[in-house]
Structure formats: C-alpha cells, structure tokens
Amino acid sequence: EGGLATAVAELSAAGRHKIRVYLDRIPVLPETRKLCRLLELDPLGLIGSGSLLIACDRSACHRLVSSIQQAGIDAICIGEVLELGVGVEAVNEARGSVVPWPHFEVDEITRLWGRAR
C-alpha cells in the first residue's frame, strides 16, 4: 500500500528492531526515476508488486544475494537490522547524512489517480 517505504517500516514494527536503509543502494530503473520526477512521485512509495523484501542473518547475506543472482534474479542488500526498537533510519551514503524516511498513506500511483480527479 505504500511501496518499499511502508514495507520496511512494517518489517521494523513486526520484528521489533530498528532498520537502517542505505538509500543509494535501492535500485530504481532510469525510466521509473524519470517518470517519478515528471509526475512528482517518490519511487519509495510506488507499489512493489513482484518485489520481495528479505531479512536474514548478516552472516548469510552475501551467500543469499549471490544465490538469488545466480538464479538470474536481481538482488541487492539495501540495509541492516539494528537494535531493539521500531523505526527506519535512512542513510544517504553519497552525502554521509541521515535523512527522514518517508511515510505513505497509500501508494504513489493511487495518490496520482486521486489528484487526477
């Protein structure tokens, strides 16, 4: 209902641990980025049908990502689980800064259709 942003926030709440996400690592197709810019949408709020968010033990991450990639499926590590608590810390590695994690009531496409009415 709110794309990757909502999925990660829900994972944090369900697992009762804070999560750090490295924004620069999140893959966004150039076409998606361009459309989002033109339509004033945030790609983190787009519906993610067909995507899978996996949380695993740190020691298994590299092996898991490699196995998925060897099967011909794009996979990347975008973050890490932190201490007990709830919430998402968004890090912009290129700038070396922590930025607010977005919240979406509905996915961005639904919001776009609502604006069009």
Side-chain angles (χ1 to χ4, degrees):
E1 292 182 7
L4 179 66
T6 300
V8 173
E10 289 176 352
L11 183 63
S12 169
R16 297 186 308 245
H17 278 74
K18 295 179 181 178
I19 296 177
R20 177 178 295 135
V21 175
Y22 298 99
L23 296 172
D24 311 51
R25 298 183 191 179
I26 299 171
V28 179
L29 295 172
E31 301 87 348
T32 302
R33 195 172 302 282
K34 185 173 184 175
L35 280 171
C36 284
R37 190 172 45 253
L38 290 170
L39 297 172
E40 299 177 356
L41 304 175
D42 186 332
L44 293 177
L46 292 176
I47 192 165
S49 297
S51 297
L52 179 62
L53 183 61
I54 301 172
C56 68
D57 188 84
R58 180 184 307 245
S59 65
C61 185
H62 179 73
R63 191 173 67 250
L64 178 61
V65 168
S66 288
S67 294
I68 294 170
Q69 290 172 338
Q70 287 173 9
I73 300 167
D74 289 335
I76 189 167
C77 176
I78 63 167
E80 57 189 313
V81 177
L82 303 173
E83 69 274 2
L84 282 172
V86 176
V88 181
E89 175 184 277
V91 176
N92 182 320
E93 287 183 292
R95 294 184 184 154
S97 61
V98 175
V99 297
W101 185 248
H103 171 77
F104 300 92
E105 294 297 325
V106 295
D107 70 80
E108 287 283 74
I109 299 299
T110 301
R111 186 177 67 81
L112 176 66
W113 288 118
R115 283 191 326 209
R117 292 183 196 187

Short mmCIF file of all heavy atoms in Angstrom, two decimals, residues 8-41:
data_model
loop_
_atom_site.label_atom_id
_atom_site.label_comp_id
_atom_site.label_asym_id
_atom_site.label_seq_id
_atom_site.Cartn_x
_atom_site.Cartn_y
_atom_site.Cartn_z
N VAL A 8 9.29 -1.65 4.63
CA VAL A 8 10.41 -1.63 5.59
C VAL A 8 9.92 -1.19 6.97
O VAL A 8 10.31 -1.77 7.99
CB VAL A 8 11.56 -0.74 5.09
CG1 VAL A 8 12.64 -0.59 6.15
CG2 VAL A 8 12.16 -1.31 3.81
N ALA A 9 9.05 -0.19 7.02
CA ALA A 9 8.50 0.25 8.30
C ALA A 9 7.70 -0.87 8.97
O ALA A 9 7.80 -1.07 10.18
CB ALA A 9 7.64 1.49 8.10
N GLU A 10 6.93 -1.61 8.18
CA GLU A 10 6.16 -2.73 8.73
C GLU A 10 7.08 -3.85 9.20
O GLU A 10 6.82 -4.48 10.22
CB GLU A 10 5.16 -3.25 7.69
CG GLU A 10 4.01 -2.29 7.46
CD GLU A 10 3.06 -2.75 6.36
OE1 GLU A 10 3.37 -3.74 5.65
OE2 GLU A 10 2.00 -2.10 6.20
N LEU A 11 8.17 -4.09 8.48
CA LEU A 11 9.14 -5.11 8.89
C LEU A 11 9.77 -4.72 10.23
O LEU A 11 9.94 -5.57 11.12
CB LEU A 11 10.21 -5.27 7.81
CG LEU A 11 11.26 -6.34 8.06
CD1 LEU A 11 10.64 -7.73 8.12
CD2 LEU A 11 12.32 -6.28 6.96
N SER A 12 10.08 -3.45 10.38
CA SER A 12 10.65 -2.97 11.65
C SER A 12 9.67 -3.19 12.79
O SER A 12 10.05 -3.69 13.85
CB SER A 12 10.99 -1.48 11.53
OG SER A 12 11.30 -0.94 12.79
N ALA A 13 8.42 -2.83 12.58
CA ALA A 13 7.41 -2.98 13.62
C ALA A 13 7.19 -4.46 13.96
O ALA A 13 7.12 -4.83 15.14
CB ALA A 13 6.10 -2.33 13.19
N ALA A 14 7.09 -5.30 12.96
CA ALA A 14 6.83 -6.73 13.18
C ALA A 14 8.01 -7.41 13.88
O ALA A 14 7.82 -8.27 14.74
CB ALA A 14 6.53 -7.43 11.86
N GLY A 15 9.22 -7.01 13.52
CA GLY A 15 10.41 -7.62 14.09
C GLY A 15 10.90 -6.94 15.36
O GLY A 15 11.83 -7.41 16.00
N ARG A 16 10.28 -5.79 15.69
CA ARG A 16 10.63 -5.02 16.88
C ARG A 16 12.11 -4.64 16.94
O ARG A 16 12.74 -4.66 18.00
CB ARG A 16 10.19 -5.76 18.14
CG ARG A 16 8.69 -5.95 18.22
CD ARG A 16 8.28 -6.57 19.53
NE ARG A 16 9.03 -7.77 19.81
CZ ARG A 16 8.52 -8.99 19.90
NH1 ARG A 16 7.25 -9.16 19.77
NH2 ARG A 16 9.28 -10.02 20.16
N HIS A 17 12.64 -4.30 15.76
CA HIS A 17 14.02 -3.82 15.65
C HIS A 17 14.06 -2.64 14.70
O HIS A 17 13.30 -2.59 13.74
CB HIS A 17 14.95 -4.91 15.11
CG HIS A 17 15.40 -5.87 16.16
ND1 HIS A 17 14.58 -6.82 16.70
CD2 HIS A 17 16.59 -6.00 16.78
CE1 HIS A 17 15.24 -7.51 17.60
NE2 HIS A 17 16.48 -7.03 17.68
N LYS A 18 14.95 -1.72 14.98
CA LYS A 18 15.16 -0.61 14.06
C LYS A 18 15.87 -1.13 12.82
O LYS A 18 16.59 -2.13 12.88
CB LYS A 18 15.99 0.49 14.73
CG LYS A 18 15.25 1.13 15.89
CD LYS A 18 16.11 2.20 16.53
CE LYS A 18 15.34 2.80 17.71
NZ LYS A 18 16.13 3.80 18.43
N ILE A 19 15.67 -0.44 11.71
CA ILE A 19 16.29 -0.84 10.45
C ILE A 19 16.98 0.37 9.84
O ILE A 19 16.42 1.47 9.83
CB ILE A 19 15.24 -1.42 9.47
CG1 ILE A 19 14.64 -2.70 10.05
CG2 ILE A 19 15.87 -1.66 8.09
CD1 ILE A 19 13.55 -3.32 9.22
N ARG A 20 18.19 0.15 9.32
CA ARG A 20 18.91 1.19 8.60
C ARG A 20 18.85 0.83 7.11
O ARG A 20 19.17 -0.29 6.73
CB ARG A 20 20.37 1.27 9.04
CG ARG A 20 21.18 2.30 8.25
CD ARG A 20 22.61 2.38 8.75
NE ARG A 20 22.61 2.89 10.11
CZ ARG A 20 23.35 2.37 11.10
NH1 ARG A 20 24.12 1.33 10.89
NH2 ARG A 20 23.30 2.89 12.31
N VAL A 21 18.44 1.79 6.30
CA VAL A 21 18.38 1.59 4.85
C VAL A 21 19.33 2.57 4.19
O VAL A 21 19.34 3.76 4.51
CB VAL A 21 16.94 1.82 4.32
CG1 VAL A 21 16.91 1.74 2.80
CG2 VAL A 21 15.96 0.83 4.93
N TYR A 22 20.13 2.06 3.28
CA TYR A 22 21.06 2.88 2.51
C TYR A 22 20.38 3.26 1.21
O TYR A 22 20.25 2.44 0.29
CB TYR A 22 22.36 2.12 2.27
CG TYR A 22 23.06 1.77 3.56
CD1 TYR A 22 22.95 0.50 4.12
CD2 TYR A 22 23.80 2.73 4.24
CE1 TYR A 22 23.56 0.20 5.32
CE2 TYR A 22 24.42 2.43 5.45
CZ TYR A 22 24.30 1.16 5.97
OH TYR A 22 24.90 0.86 7.18
N LEU A 23 19.90 4.50 1.13
CA LEU A 23 19.10 4.96 0.00
C LEU A 23 19.81 4.78 -1.33
O LEU A 23 19.17 4.43 -2.34
CB LEU A 23 18.71 6.42 0.19
CG LEU A 23 17.80 6.71 1.39
CD1 LEU A 23 17.64 8.20 1.59
CD2 LEU A 23 16.45 6.03 1.19
N ASP A 24 21.11 5.00 -1.37
CA ASP A 24 21.88 4.92 -2.61
C ASP A 24 21.90 3.49 -3.18
O ASP A 24 22.20 3.30 -4.35
CB ASP A 24 23.33 5.37 -2.39
CG ASP A 24 23.43 6.69 -1.67
OD1 ASP A 24 22.80 6.84 -0.61
OD2 ASP A 24 24.16 7.57 -2.16
N ARG A 25 21.61 2.51 -2.35
CA ARG A 25 21.66 1.11 -2.79
C ARG A 25 20.33 0.62 -3.38
O ARG A 25 20.29 -0.45 -3.98
CB ARG A 25 22.03 0.20 -1.63
CG ARG A 25 23.40 0.49 -1.06
CD ARG A 25 23.72 -0.49 0.04
NE ARG A 25 24.92 -0.10 0.78
CZ ARG A 25 25.41 -0.78 1.79
NH1 ARG A 25 24.80 -1.89 2.19
NH2 ARG A 25 26.49 -0.36 2.41
N ILE A 26 19.27 1.37 -3.18
CA ILE A 26 17.95 0.93 -3.66
C ILE A 26 17.91 1.07 -5.18
O ILE A 26 18.05 2.17 -5.70
CB ILE A 26 16.82 1.74 -3.01
CG1 ILE A 26 16.84 1.55 -1.50
CG2 ILE A 26 15.47 1.35 -3.61
CD1 ILE A 26 15.90 2.47 -0.74
N PRO A 27 17.73 -0.05 -5.88
CA PRO A 27 17.70 0.04 -7.34
C PRO A 27 16.39 0.66 -7.85
O PRO A 27 15.31 0.23 -7.46
CB PRO A 27 17.83 -1.41 -7.80
CG PRO A 27 17.37 -2.23 -6.64
CD PRO A 27 17.60 -1.42 -5.40
N VAL A 28 16.53 1.67 -8.67
CA VAL A 28 15.38 2.31 -9.31
C VAL A 28 15.74 2.44 -10.79
O VAL A 28 16.76 3.06 -11.13
CB VAL A 28 15.06 3.70 -8.72
CG1 VAL A 28 13.88 4.33 -9.43
CG2 VAL A 28 14.79 3.59 -7.22
N LEU A 29 14.93 1.84 -11.66
CA LEU A 29 15.20 1.92 -13.09
C LEU A 29 15.21 3.37 -13.55
O LEU A 29 14.42 4.19 -13.04
CB LEU A 29 14.14 1.14 -13.86
CG LEU A 29 14.11 -0.37 -13.65
CD1 LEU A 29 12.89 -0.98 -14.33
CD2 LEU A 29 15.38 -1.00 -14.18
N PRO A 30 16.06 3.70 -14.52
CA PRO A 30 16.09 5.08 -15.03
C PRO A 30 14.72 5.56 -15.51
O PRO A 30 14.36 6.72 -15.30
CB PRO A 30 17.09 5.02 -16.18
CG PRO A 30 17.94 3.82 -15.90
CD PRO A 30 17.06 2.86 -15.16
N GLU A 31 13.96 4.67 -16.15
CA GLU A 31 12.63 5.05 -16.64
C GLU A 31 11.70 5.39 -15.47
O GLU A 31 10.92 6.34 -15.55
CB GLU A 31 12.00 3.90 -17.46
CG GLU A 31 12.80 3.49 -18.67
CD GLU A 31 13.88 2.43 -18.39
OE1 GLU A 31 14.19 2.15 -17.22
OE2 GLU A 31 14.42 1.91 -19.37
N THR A 32 11.80 4.61 -14.41
CA THR A 32 10.98 4.86 -13.23
C THR A 32 11.36 6.18 -12.59
O THR A 32 10.51 6.99 -12.23
CB THR A 32 11.14 3.72 -12.21
OG1 THR A 32 10.78 2.49 -12.83
CG2 THR A 32 10.29 3.95 -10.97
N ARG A 33 12.65 6.41 -12.48
CA ARG A 33 13.14 7.66 -11.89
C ARG A 33 12.64 8.87 -12.69
O ARG A 33 12.18 9.86 -12.13
CB ARG A 33 14.67 7.63 -11.83
CG ARG A 33 15.25 8.69 -10.93
CD ARG A 33 16.74 8.52 -10.74
NE ARG A 33 17.17 7.25 -10.17
CZ ARG A 33 17.08 6.92 -8.89
NH1 ARG A 33 16.59 7.76 -8.03
NH2 ARG A 33 17.51 5.74 -8.46
N LYS A 34 12.71 8.77 -14.02
CA LYS A 34 12.28 9.88 -14.88
C LYS A 34 10.78 10.12 -14.75
O LYS A 34 10.34 11.27 -14.61
CB LYS A 34 12.65 9.60 -16.33
CG LYS A 34 12.35 10.76 -17.26
CD LYS A 34 12.89 10.52 -18.64
CE LYS A 34 12.63 11.75 -19.51
NZ LYS A 34 13.26 11.60 -20.83
N LEU A 35 9.98 9.06 -14.80
CA LEU A 35 8.52 9.21 -14.66
C LEU A 35 8.16 9.80 -13.30
O LEU A 35 7.29 10.65 -13.20
CB LEU A 35 7.81 7.88 -14.86
CG LEU A 35 7.61 7.44 -16.30
CD1 LEU A 35 7.09 6.02 -16.37
CD2 LEU A 35 6.67 8.39 -17.02
N CYS A 36 8.83 9.33 -12.27
CA CYS A 36 8.56 9.85 -10.93
C CYS A 36 8.88 11.34 -10.85
O CYS A 36 8.13 12.12 -10.26
CB CYS A 36 9.34 9.08 -9.87
SG CYS A 36 8.65 7.47 -9.51
N ARG A 37 9.98 11.72 -11.45
CA ARG A 37 10.36 13.13 -11.45
C ARG A 37 9.30 13.96 -12.19
O ARG A 37 8.85 15.00 -11.71
CB ARG A 37 11.73 13.31 -12.08
CG ARG A 37 12.33 14.68 -11.91
CD ARG A 37 13.78 14.80 -12.38
NE ARG A 37 14.06 14.18 -13.66
CZ ARG A 37 14.74 13.04 -13.85
NH1 ARG A 37 15.22 12.39 -12.81
NH2 ARG A 37 14.96 12.55 -15.04
N LEU A 38 8.86 13.49 -13.36
CA LEU A 38 7.87 14.22 -14.17
C LEU A 38 6.50 14.30 -13.48
O LEU A 38 5.81 15.31 -13.59
CB LEU A 38 7.71 13.56 -15.54
CG LEU A 38 8.89 13.69 -16.49
CD1 LEU A 38 8.69 12.80 -17.71
CD2 LEU A 38 9.09 15.14 -16.89
N LEU A 39 6.13 13.23 -12.78
CA LEU A 39 4.80 13.16 -12.14
C LEU A 39 4.84 13.55 -10.66
O LEU A 39 3.82 13.46 -9.97
CB LEU A 39 4.21 11.76 -12.30
CG LEU A 39 3.95 11.32 -13.74
CD1 LEU A 39 3.57 9.86 -13.79
CD2 LEU A 39 2.89 12.20 -14.39
N GLU A 40 6.01 13.96 -10.18
CA GLU A 40 6.20 14.34 -8.78
C GLU A 40 5.80 13.22 -7.82
O GLU A 40 5.03 13.42 -6.88
CB GLU A 40 5.43 15.64 -8.48
CG GLU A 40 5.90 16.81 -9.31
CD GLU A 40 5.09 18.07 -9.07
OE1 GLU A 40 4.11 18.04 -8.31
OE2 GLU A 40 5.46 19.10 -9.66
N LEU A 41 6.34 12.04 -8.09
CA LEU A 41 6.11 10.87 -7.26
C LEU A 41 7.42 10.44 -6.62
O LEU A 41 8.50 10.69 -7.16
CB LEU A 41 5.57 9.70 -8.09
CG LEU A 41 4.29 9.96 -8.90
CD1 LEU A 41 3.97 8.74 -9.75
CD2 LEU A 41 3.13 10.29 -7.98
#
